[in-house]
Amino acid sequence: MKKCIELAKLAQGQTSPNPLVGCVILDKNDKIIATGYHHKCGENHAERDALLKLKNNEAEGGTLIVNLEPCSHFGKTPPCTDIIIERKIKKVVIGMHDVNPIVDGIKKLTSAGIEVVDNVMENDCKKLNEVFIKNQLEHKTFVAIKTATTLDGKIATSTGDSKWITSENARNEGKNIRKMYDAILTSSSTVITDNPTMEHKTKIILDRTLKTDFNNANIYKQENIYVFYGENIKCNPSSFSDKINFIKAPEKNGKLDLAFIFNKLYELNIMSVLIEAGGKLCGNALEYADKVYHFIAPKITGDNSCVSAFDFREITKISKCLNFKFDECKTFGEDILLTYYKVS
Ligand code: AOF
Ligand code: ZN
């Protein structure tokens, strides 16, 4: 199953809206004879990818291991259960049940006389497909935030200087994290202060008053851009650029309504989004966030007026804190990456 997860990860960032799936096939003597994975939405599923590497009778009496329940429906591809049955597999080992309600593969396999062992390394398998699970169960976009702070939780000095808080190793890992998400979301303030490029599939900019420079900012020199702007803007922004998709959004307390925006992203088939922005947007987005990637450098600014990673309110009681659950802690150069989830 570990191997299945590794294989599945080879397609990270490529399969949306489909899950990440890897498959290992053992012969009668438990020797690995083929492996496969789901490369891309619309292409073969992991089980078929692996089985098609073998001759018709080669997997007979063998075991198929896969991190997600094999599908039993005709989608963009035929059911995996059919080819598993045709190839006379004896045993199927499954990581987690498919949360897609149209899939009922386990029943189909057991009725065909195949032994099924399920929920193997279930927690790891669920974590691998956390985006797919949220999409299927809640019909919502998975929202993550990435930030990089000093030990005292600051992302910039009071003059906006932020280059660089973390080391090159950590920043490279930041780029790897980006690739796992369908889109990156940032604010007009970040576009104006940092002028980032953010090479990525899809970029979303929240620019309530349309104050960014649509002709010159680096981010607009690329394709697949959505700009959300406020309902009180009177002009027609499409005159600024015909390459950018402008979307009018309602406002709440003088800010763009984030609930509207995240719902809109799901309608646009953006299944996961990574927010990279300053303290105001990251702070306000916490309410909708599933996960936080928090890089921490061993530095202290010591200056209270420096910009904080999450800056959205005043509280007087520790009991009013938002609570999270630590997931993992990894080291990149001299920095650490802490990932944590919201406690619901
Ligand atoms: C599997 N193995 O590798 C994947 C599965 O439109 P389709 O045909 O690609 O089907 C998509 C659905 O199939 C998806 O929502 C999920 O339930 C399942 N994905 N199943 O047995 C795979 N990627
Ligand atoms: Zn399938």
Side-chain angles (χ1 to χ4, degrees):
M1 194 58 74
K2 253 191 189 155
K3 177 98 187 150
C4 290
I5 294 175
E6 267 170 38
L7 287 159
K9 282 185 178 169
L10 295 173
Q12 228 157 17
Q14 312 295 317
T15 60
S16 176
N18 274 0
L20 291 162
V21 188
C23 176
V24 172
I25 297 167
L26 311 178
D27 68 7
K28 283 183 203 124
N29 306 312
D30 287 344
K31 192 178 128 243
I32 296 184
I33 47 170
T35 62
Y37 64 99
H38 182 49
H39 292 235
K40 210 172 163 216
C41 177
E43 294 185 7
N44 281 336
H45 286 182
E47 301 89 319
R48 193 169 294 274
D49 186 53
L51 284 168
L52 290 180
K53 292 175 185 167
L54 298 171
K55 295 196 197 85
N56 273 339
N57 60 353
E58 244 178 316
E60 191 172 335
T63 299
L64 181 144
I65 307 164
V66 62
N67 58 283
L68 183 74
E69 173 180 3
C71 72
S72 50
H73 69 291
F74 282 90
K76 292 186 186 68
T77 58
C80 291
T81 45
D82 289 5
I83 189 166
I84 294 172
I85 296 166
E86 269 162 43
R87 295 295 182 101
K88 300 198 169 69
I89 294 276
K90 199 173 148 215
K91 178 173 166 184
V92 174
V93 179
I94 296 169
M96 64 170 278
H97 290 214
D98 194 339
V99 284
N100 182 347
I102 58 173
V103 170
D104 199 6
I106 293 177
K107 205 160 94 211
K108 214 162 150 194
L109 294 173
T110 45
S111 351
I114 296 174
E115 178 191 350
V116 172
V117 179
D118 62 1
N119 301 337
V120 173
M121 290 181 63
E122 191 186 9
N123 289 340
D124 299 83
C125 294
K126 284 187 168 170
K127 193 169 142 190
L128 174 75
N129 276 313
E130 59 192 8
V131 169
F132 177 71
I133 293 172
K134 176 158 186 194
N135 298 160
Q136 287 289 335
L137 295 183
E138 297 177 38
H139 303 287
K140 282 193 173 140
T141 298
F142 187 93
V143 179
I145 297 175
K146 176 167 86 72
T147 190
T149 73
T150 60
L151 285 170
D152 49 342
K154 306 296 186 184
I155 55 169
T157 65
S158 52
T159 63
D161 183 38
S162 62
K163 290 192 173 67
W164 294 105
I165 291 173
T166 48
S167 62
E168 201 175 346
N169 276 335
R171 298 200 312 272
N172 284 338
E173 178 60 12
K175 288 183 188 153
N176 293 335
I177 295 168
R178 263 186 204 168
K179 288 185 198 141
M180 305 194 306
Y181 286 81
D182 282 357
I184 304 289
L185 184 148
T186 194
S187 66
S188 52
S189 321
T190 301
V191 172
I192 291 166
T193 36
D194 294 350
N195 195 18
T197 311
M198 294 187 164
E199 293 107 11
H200 197 272
K201 288 166 269 191
T202 299
K203 282 152 292 278
I204 297 143
I205 296 106
L206 307 194
D207 188 357
R208 188 175 65 88
T209 58
L210 295 172
K211 63 179 177 179
T212 52
D213 184 343
F214 294 105
N215 293 313
N216 298 306
N218 287 334
I219 203 157
Y220 298 124
K221 298 195 173 124
Q222 302 165 68
E223 307 291 313
N224 297 322
I225 311 259
Y226 293 92
V227 171
F228 284 90
Y229 66 100
E231 60 192 349
N232 298 321
I233 293 287
K234 296 281 175 284
C235 69
N236 177 8
S238 53
S239 60
F240 296 142
S241 163
D242 46 15
K243 250 178 40 185
I244 300 171
N245 305 291
F246 288 95
I247 303 175
K248 192 182 267 210
E251 296 182 22
K252 238 170 103 181
N253 308 322
K255 295 190 189 81
L256 290 174
D257 180 353
L258 291 178
F260 171 90
I261 290 168
F262 293 125
N263 285 335
K264 196 75 192 172
L265 295 187
Y266 192 75
E267 283 173 28
L268 293 167
N269 285 322
I270 294 170
M271 294 295 138
S272 61
V273 65
L274 182 69
I275 302 173
E276 290 189 49
K280 295 267 183 322
L281 178 55
C282 287
N284 286 311
L286 276 178
E287 184 185 342
Y288 305 94
D290 297 285
K291 182 175 194 172
V292 180
Y293 298 89
H294 191 153
F295 289 93
I296 304 173
K299 295 184 169 90
I300 291 177
T301 71
D303 183 348
N304 172 47
S305 57
C306 288
V307 189
S308 299
F310 302 105
D311 176 13
F312 65 110
R313 60 171 183 172
E314 282 168 16
I315 61 162
T316 51
K317 292 266 182 253
I318 286 294
S319 59
K320 298 282 185 244
C321 282
L322 299 178
N323 292 305
F324 297 86
K325 200 165 105 256
F326 284 141
D327 172 43
E328 9 173 77
C329 183
K330 290 189 198 155
T331 308
F332 293 93
E334 59 202 20
D335 307 314
I336 61 171
L337 167 60
L338 200 56
T339 47
Y340 44 94
Y341 292 94
K342 251 239 306 291
V343 176
S344 42

